[in-house]
Amino acid sequence: MRVLVLSGGRSAEREISLVSAEWVSGELKASGHEVTEVIIEQDGCWMLKGSSGNLSFEAGPIPWKLCSGIKTILFDVVFPVLHGSYGEDGTVQGLCAVAGWPCAGVPVMGAAVAMEKHTLKKLASQVSVPVVPWVFLNENPDNSIESLHEELAALGYPLFVKPSRLGSSVGITKVNTPEELRGAVQTASGYDSLILIEKAVDSAREIEVSVLGNGVRVFSSVPGEVLPGREWYDYKAKYECDESELGIPADLSASQTENIRMMAENTFRLIGGRGFARVDFLMNNHGIWLNEINTIPGFTSISMFPKLWEATGMNSEKLLNFILDEAFSRAEHGLSQ
Ligand SMILES: Nc1ncnc2c1ncn2[C@@H]1O[C@H](COP(=O)(O)OP(=O)(O)O)[C@@H](O)[C@H]1O
Ligand SMILES: [Mg+2]
């Protein structure tokens, strides 16, 4: 297939996207696909990797086209390898839908819901997928830390304060005392006007499951466990700490494994998932809670998402082909979103 791999983007996770896209593009080329790599710059311009000059795009029938001053690029499917806002959040998926381009991965609504942790938690709790208790701050001045005093007291400390629509642990603070709360909210508000204040799960184990779906069936991988080399899985533990490790498969009983896989599949169905995602849970001796669903998870040779599939018997070639075929056949049936 002729695949247009999109990376970069305007979010705080831009750099991670560039690394993920390099791996995805390499693997696609190795399996015989024709790959065009397009980088979305921070100002929103689309650039052909390695060349200067913006690209313009055209809506229209197959084959779809992107044009630069010197070159017309034909492609069969778009593969967004973008993390965070303006990429993983339904915006690029919507752009593709409007243009009529087949687009790999979770469609508009699911991508948008998954990106917004508050909405995802509300939905999940309605279908009995347990989530950690939280309170929510938005731009409404009536909705301040002071006004939420009772709810916050009910949660108890420690707490996690998070921007509602970001990833890679950017802007997240673990708060141990009430005095630290205001500073943590300020940090999070540097990234998002919607903020989640969540009860910290004591001695949390972090269990993750990869999922694939084609609209008829949802498939889940064996669960894996993140063993952060730091107190929690912050940005440093994710990208800079050599001691962070992945335990694959996670050390769980057969019934725990079955339960977690079922919850992962249900969460994917809940958001109308197609294509792929990684569903993350927090767990301790008292329970298991859905933490989040990443519709474009980290995607490199050392990332949990492909490694879990490898451990489930699906190599990267089969994995990427499933994702491309699903996107293409969805578009053929007129279901671009
Ligand atoms: N409620 C919580 N209890 C314990 N640890 C948490 C909690 N929420 C987040 N964390 C820690 O913070 C990390 C990042 O939080 P997460 O919600 O996954 O944000 P991101 O989308 O940035 O990955 C988690 O992997 C975990 O280590
Ligand atoms: Mg996470």
Side-chain angles (χ1 to χ4, degrees), residues 128-190:
S128 307
V129 172
V131 290
V132 177
W134 81 104
V135 299
F136 180 59
L137 290 176
N138 58 18
E139 302 96 332
N140 183 347
D142 296 337
N143 187 219
S144 61
I145 298 180
E146 288 72 27
S147 71
L148 293 169
H149 180 74
E150 275 176 31
E151 286 91 334
L152 286 168
L155 291 184
Y157 285 79
L159 297 166
F160 273 85
V161 178
K162 319 178 177 178
S164 194
R165 296 167 290 192
L166 202 59
S168 293
S169 299
V170 175
I172 301 187
T173 311
K174 184 176 182 184
V175 171
N176 292 303
T177 63
E179 292 70 42
E180 295 165 16
L181 185 59
R182 190 166 299 281
V185 168
Q186 243 161 28
T187 301
S189 65

Side-chain angles (χ1 to χ4, degrees), residues 13 115 117 121 132-133 158-174 196 198-206 208 226 228 231-235 238-239 278 280-282 291-294:
E13 292 179 272
M115 194 70 231
K117 292 187 166 94
K121 280 161 85 84
V132 177
L159 297 166
F160 273 85
V161 178
K162 319 178 177 178
S164 194
R165 296 167 290 192
L166 202 59
S168 293
S169 299
V170 175
I172 301 187
T173 311
K174 184 176 182 184
L196 226 63
E198 202 174 277
K199 186 177 176 61
V201 173
D202 189 30
S203 313
R205 289 179 69 186
E206 306 201 32
E208 306 188 344
V226 172
E231 187 196 345
W232 55 280
Y233 206 30
D234 61 4
Y235 187 91
K238 281 180 182 172
Y239 304 112
R278 195 192 72 221
D280 298 351
F281 299 90
L282 296 168
N291 182 34
E292 60 166 338
I293 173 162
N294 289 283

Side-chain angles (χ1 to χ4, degrees), residues 42-99:
Q42 254 142 347
D43 60 4
C45 284
W46 291 31
M47 315 283 285
L48 205 51
K49 189 175 176 188
S51 78
S52 57
N54 297 347
L55 290 166
S56 58
F57 35 88
E58 290 177 10
I62 296 174
W64 293 276
K65 285 188 216 161
L66 272 176
C67 306
S68 75
I70 39 161
K71 198 171 168 189
T72 297
I73 300 147
L74 305 179
F75 57 93
D76 304 304
V77 59
V78 178
F79 197 143
V81 189
L82 297 155
H83 305 309
S85 18
Y86 310 114
E88 193 178 349
D89 59 353
T91 50
V92 166
Q93 294 75 2
L95 177 73
C96 292
V98 170

